[in-house]
Amino acid sequence: MESSPLLRAGIRSALDGEGGIEVVGQAGEADHVLPMVVGAAPDVVLMDLDLPDSGSMELCRTLVREAGIRGILGMTGRCDDAELVRSALLTGVRGYVSKSARAHEIVGAVHMVGSGFMVAGDVAARLMTGMLRVPGRPTEHDPDPVLTRREREILELVARGYDNRRIARALTLADKTVRNHVSAVFSKIGVNCRAQAVVYGREAGMGLTGGPRGARGARGQW
């Protein structure tokens, strides 16, 4: 959802054209977002994060809480705003791109979020690492002493940005089994949320190889 009709039209053209993404709806008013998303059930919601009075964050919380949406990709003109990064992560946003990004960058970000990955620019990634590093934890550490082989595999995929469902498919495990492993990993490495686990794994050199295959035919909401 974006308040500028011109920007909405340009992005829709890029997604429908070269992106290979089915745009199932768009909204220019905050009140129209939730009913449209509930009705269309998109894989990815592309959200303007610059709405006034924290309206964007409240919308994101509502989409996660009431519509079960996990694939929220934000767009912002403030990629270096630490408070925006923090708020977006807490509301469940999977990443964001600059409003000045090129069409192919936006398309790639939509595919990545649709595949279960997190997306952030260089500046945002540095801010996330600084904010989410566990207090008192050294910047370099090795999870080997505390994790089993399977738990290390789980952390590797978490560090790549995989959600539990994608981990289950990758390792041919039941969803419940993955949830149990993830909880055990979080407990052993001393983190409280998935974002902290991503930072922990990255600092241990995990999640840095391999890339997304893309969400071919991903369905998006704009």
Side-chain angles (χ1 to χ4, degrees), residues 110-132:
V110 171
H111 278 299
M112 289 183 71
V113 170
S115 296
F117 289 84
M118 297 185 71
V119 178
D122 292 341
V123 173
R126 290 195 296 271
L127 288 169
M128 290 165 62
T129 299
M131 289 187 301
L132 299 174

Side-chain angles (χ1 to χ4, degrees), residues 1-218:
M1 195 212 77
E2 157 58 46
S3 55
S4 167
L6 183 60
L7 184 55
R8 285 204 312 273
I11 293 176
R12 176 160 193 162
S13 176
L15 297 178
D16 276 340
E18 64 187 76
I21 297 169
E22 178 189 3
V23 178
V24 296
Q26 60 180 328
E29 300 293 335
D31 292 344
H32 299 163
V33 175
L34 180 60
M36 184 174 294
V37 169
V38 170
D43 298 320
V44 177
V45 174
L46 189 56
M47 175 70 68
D48 183 354
L49 297 183
D50 297 333
L51 297 181
D53 302 321
S54 301
S56 301
M57 301 308 156
E58 184 56 38
L59 269 174
C60 290
R61 277 190 288 269
T62 299
L63 292 178
V64 171
R65 182 176 62 248
E66 299 185 23
I69 298 297
R70 293 294 181 266
I72 300 177
L73 174 65
M75 291 198 73
T76 178
R78 300 178 290 144
C79 286
D80 58 350
D81 187 329
E83 186 57 39
L84 176 68
V85 174
R86 181 182 296 107
S87 298
L89 289 172
L90 291 175
T91 57
V93 173
R94 296 286 299 179
Y96 47 89
V97 292
S98 170
K99 288 182 177 178
S100 62
R102 297 180 179 180
H104 74 273
E105 294 173 324
I106 298 172
V107 169
V110 171
H111 278 299
M112 289 183 71
V113 170
S115 296
F117 289 84
M118 297 185 71
V119 178
D122 292 341
V123 173
R126 290 195 296 271
L127 288 169
M128 290 165 62
T129 299
M131 289 187 301
L132 299 174
R133 183 176 292 119
V134 182
R137 187 179 301 285
T139 57
E140 294 183 0
H141 42 263
D142 185 357
D144 275 336
V146 294
L147 300 183
T148 66
R149 181 185 62 82
R150 177 63 81 187
E151 289 167 350
R152 186 177 175 85
E153 290 175 341
I154 295 287
L155 181 57
E156 167 72 33
L157 296 181
V158 168
R160 292 189 190 185
Y162 283 35
D163 58 18
N164 285 0
R165 184 174 299 176
R166 189 171 175 83
I167 292 174
R169 292 201 302 267
L171 299 180
T172 319
L173 296 173
D175 289 349
K176 183 177 180 181
T177 301
V178 171
R179 287 197 300 271
N180 291 339
H181 280 309
V182 169
S183 295
V185 169
F186 285 13
S187 177
K188 287 184 177 183
I189 66 177
V191 301
N192 299 316
C193 68
R194 203 175 198 91
Q196 287 183 342
V198 170
V199 173
Y200 184 104
R202 291 296 180 88
E203 291 179 346
M206 308 176 86
L208 302 177
T209 60
R213 297 182 179 179
R216 181 173 299 176

